[in-house]
Amino acid sequence: MRLKFYSFLVSVFFALDVFASEKPNVIFLLCDDLGYGDVGYAFQNNRAATGKIAISTPVIDSLATGGTILTDHYCASPVCAPSRASIITGKLTGDCSLQHNQFDKPITETTTIASVMKDAGYETYAVGKWGIGGGGESGYPVLAHPLDRGFDHYYGFMDHRAGHTYYHWDGYWGRAYMGVWEDREKATETAAGRYSTDVFIARAKKYIESQLEDMERKDNPFFMYLAINTIHGSGRNDTSLRNTSSLHVPGGKYVRSTDENGKVIWPIPEEPIDNRNTYINPEYRSFEDPMAQRYATGITRLDEALGDLVDFLKAKGIFENTIIIFTSDNGPAAEYGAHPNKFGSNGPFSGYKRDVFEGGMRVPAFISWPANPAACAKTVCEPSISADWLKALAKLGEDPTYVPIPKSGRIETIYNSPCGSELSRVKNGCAGYQQWMKREGDIVTLQAGGRDKPLQRYNVRLDPHQDNPLK
């Protein structure tokens, strides 16, 4: 008995020693339009317990509850382009070179979340959506390609509009290329006829496998920016999609992209043409609304794919010391076929994407790092904003035991747009352009619907739905 206990202690101390001496890998998983309430641990499990229709995300829930949950984390802007620019540059929207929804405008900053990690000794990868490099809808030159902003490797789509499909093709919609790139070369043949969530998870696994098999790089830590387009609305179809229903779904149940020998299958097999954009997860076939079925299927598909990635990391022996940061670029969208009102996707808040109300700004966020006891089973309620991730990861680069919890000195966004969501139009008339939000302590001050609209103040700790403005 004593020998077994001694052996156990040796294994624990060995694991702690490895954790203290080795830099952790980091996967920054950014979702698209995934609402605060779209995931189980934050809201959906409560809906299911009361008999309401709900979305199942068991893998996300397990990672979140075993890690550090950020209850009061904000996106830097309630829309895609400026939110992503803020994450990459570490700057709030008012200070960043890309401030509004200027699709495909190149960021001018050269210090980025990737360059910081690269300087700290990390191999850097970007997989999935970019949209802040130039070209596409903006017409600007491509001056901020991921490879020019600190990333060593890139696989994904450059142009914003390509995020309006989950089935990429070698063609154009307007000025936007709807295919994917491998570094600076077109690589759409590896994605065509395949559901993008599956493609990007498989490519992420292949990148990791390649590094682990490279004798010169296998001991290096990696940083991966994994930008999945779940659950952004869709409906832009290439000619191979016979089913034209918007809010694309996959062509069958999830198939793990690892063979019987533990090798990553790349590229993954094409889906049969007649199957593409048809599969509904059996859990949701009883839902009366077909679009609700699709919305829930897309989110659970992400959860299944993430589970595949987690199992792959475990099989390679690197899961324990791999940090997974999970968050979203803005609140849920009530557009392009997305269906947040069916599921309470904004959680206990009011507002959606394009709003500076809590529902448009508060996003799901957690940090999973099993090897670090300081990151396990913890909840952080202090406010933070997505621009803070860069500084948090910079500290991790200096201290491999540091839990990269974003910490804010300033929670503020300025968002210029002709209109917000339907909520903004109903509440505020939307006569002007600017929307503005600032949080200090528990008090949020905002101006929604235009510069001519009055300021509103709420205690979001006591009044998260923002029903009772303060005098």
Side-chain angles (χ1 to χ4, degrees):
M1 180 64 72
R2 288 182 179 179
L3 181 60
K4 289 183 179 180
F5 182 68
Y6 175 75
S7 299
F8 169 75
L9 288 178
V10 169
S11 65
V12 169
F13 285 126
F14 176 76
L16 290 174
D17 181 63
V18 170
F19 152 67
S21 62
E22 292 185 358
K23 288 184 176 179
N25 303 305
V26 181
I27 298 174
F28 191 105
L29 201 165
L30 181 65
C31 300
D32 200 335
D33 292 359
L34 189 76
Y36 186 98
D38 274 329
V39 290
Y41 77 88
F43 195 69
Q44 291 300 309
N45 293 344
N46 292 335
R47 287 178 61 86
T50 59
K52 297 178 181 178
I53 65 169
I55 303 167
S56 175
T57 58
V59 175
I60 291 170
D61 298 349
S62 177
L63 292 173
T65 55
T68 299
I69 295 173
L70 309 177
T71 63
D72 289 47
H73 186 65
Y74 290 82
C75 57
S77 180
V79 286
C80 173
S83 177
R84 290 163 188 268
S86 184
I87 290 170
I88 294 296
T89 65
K91 293 182 177 181
L92 293 173
T93 51
D95 305 320
C96 186
S97 61
L98 198 163
Q99 298 183 341
H100 315 306
N101 224 13
Q102 299 150 297
F103 302 138
D104 304 321
K105 179 183 176 182
I107 55 172
T108 61
E109 291 84 356
T110 55
T111 297
T112 66
I113 200 169
S115 69
V116 166
M117 297 302 280
K118 187 177 177 69
D119 289 345
Y122 281 75
E123 192 89 3
T124 54
Y125 301 86
V127 177
K129 182 174 181 176
W130 188 241
I132 54 175
E137 293 171 75
S138 74
Y140 282 92
V142 181
L143 301 176
H145 190 284
L147 300 188
D148 299 324
R149 291 297 182 268
F151 288 102
D152 296 312
H153 313 276
Y154 174 63
Y155 180 90
F157 57 92
M158 289 286 294
D159 297 341
H160 170 84
R161 276 192 176 187
H164 289 248
T165 185
Y166 290 70
Y167 290 92
H168 294 282
W169 74 92
D170 187 17
Y172 288 81
W173 173 29
R175 290 187 292 190
Y177 179 60
M178 299 300 287
V180 303
W181 300 80
E182 179 89 43
D183 294 336
R184 299 184 194 273
E185 302 295 327
K186 289 182 178 179
T188 306
E189 69 277 4
T190 61
R194 303 159 174 92
Y195 191 67
S196 67
T197 301
D198 302 356
V199 170
F200 294 142
I201 290 292
R203 193 65 188 94
K205 289 167 59 179
K206 185 62 179 176
Y207 270 140
I208 295 168
E209 180 183 71
S210 298
Q211 178 168 329
L212 295 177
E213 292 178 348
D214 188 320
M215 294 303 295
E216 294 184 1
R217 298 186 298 141
K218 69 183 183 69
D219 293 326
N220 296 343
F222 64 81
F223 169 76
M224 180 174 288
Y225 173 71
L226 180 53
I228 305 291
N229 50 321
T230 304
I231 182 67
H232 195 289
S234 49
R236 303 296 174 181
N237 303 287
D238 74 48
T239 55
S240 74
L241 286 188
R242 296 177 182 176
N243 185 310
T244 59
S245 297
S246 62
L247 193 58
H248 294 162
V249 293
K253 66 180 182 179
Y254 187 75
V255 177
R256 291 174 177 262
S257 51
T258 311
D259 67 19
E260 59 185 12
N261 298 315
K263 297 287 292 181
V264 176
I265 300 167
W266 183 256
I268 60 175
E270 286 190 58
E271 298 173 0
I273 291 176
D274 289 340
N275 289 12
R276 297 172 193 171
N277 194 27
T278 63
Y279 178 75
I280 300 299
N281 188 297
E283 288 189 60
Y284 311 127
R285 291 174 187 168
S286 63
F287 294 177
E288 293 181 3
D289 190 316
M291 296 311 293
Q293 294 177 356
R294 287 175 167 267
Y295 192 83
T297 292
I299 293 175
T300 294
R301 183 56 157 238
L302 170 63
D303 191 76
E304 293 170 328
L306 179 56
D308 185 14
L309 176 59
V310 167
D311 287 346
F312 172 77
L313 297 174
K314 290 178 179 178
K316 296 299 181 182
I318 61 173
F319 172 69
E320 295 290 320
N321 207 31
T322 294
I323 297 172
I324 297 177
I325 296 170
F326 181 97
T327 190
S328 180
D329 62 348
N330 47 249
E335 56 194 35
Y336 295 116
H339 222 294
N341 56 319
K342 282 289 182 181
F343 298 99
S345 296
N346 48 7
F349 312 119
S350 65
Y352 296 113
K353 177 181 180 180
R354 307 184 193 281
D355 290 327
V356 293
F357 295 99
E358 294 292 283
M361 296 294 300
R362 198 93 72 97
V363 290
F366 65 80
I367 302 163
S368 169
W369 188 3
N372 190 341
C376 297
K378 184 175 182 179
T379 299
V380 174
C381 298
E382 288 76 17
S384 60
I385 196 165
S386 55
D388 299 328
W389 288 113
L390 187 148
K391 290 182 179 178
L393 289 169
K395 290 183 179 180
L396 173 70
E398 298 169 357
D399 176 3
T401 67
Y402 179 79
V403 181
I405 297 171
K407 298 177 182 178
S408 284
R410 188 171 152 215
I411 306 286
E412 183 175 7
T413 190
I414 298 173
Y415 166 48
N416 286 335
S417 173
C419 279
S421 74
E422 182 179 356
L423 179 73
S424 285
R425 292 194 289 274
V426 170
K427 274 192 171 185
N428 305 289
C430 201
Y433 287 82
Q434 178 171 288
Q435 296 195 75
W436 172 80
M437 185 279 282
K438 183 176 184 179
R439 177 167 172 173
E440 298 173 292
D442 293 339
I443 305 301
V444 164
T445 304
L446 62 86
Q447 185 178 43
R451 294 183 180 89
D452 61 329
K453 299 300 178 181
L455 295 180
Q456 304 173 45
R457 296 175 67 245
Y458 300 91
N459 184 320
V460 293
R461 191 72 67 193
L462 301 177
D463 180 23
H465 201 260
Q466 295 172 291
D467 294 322
N468 304 300
L470 302 173
K471 303 297 184 182

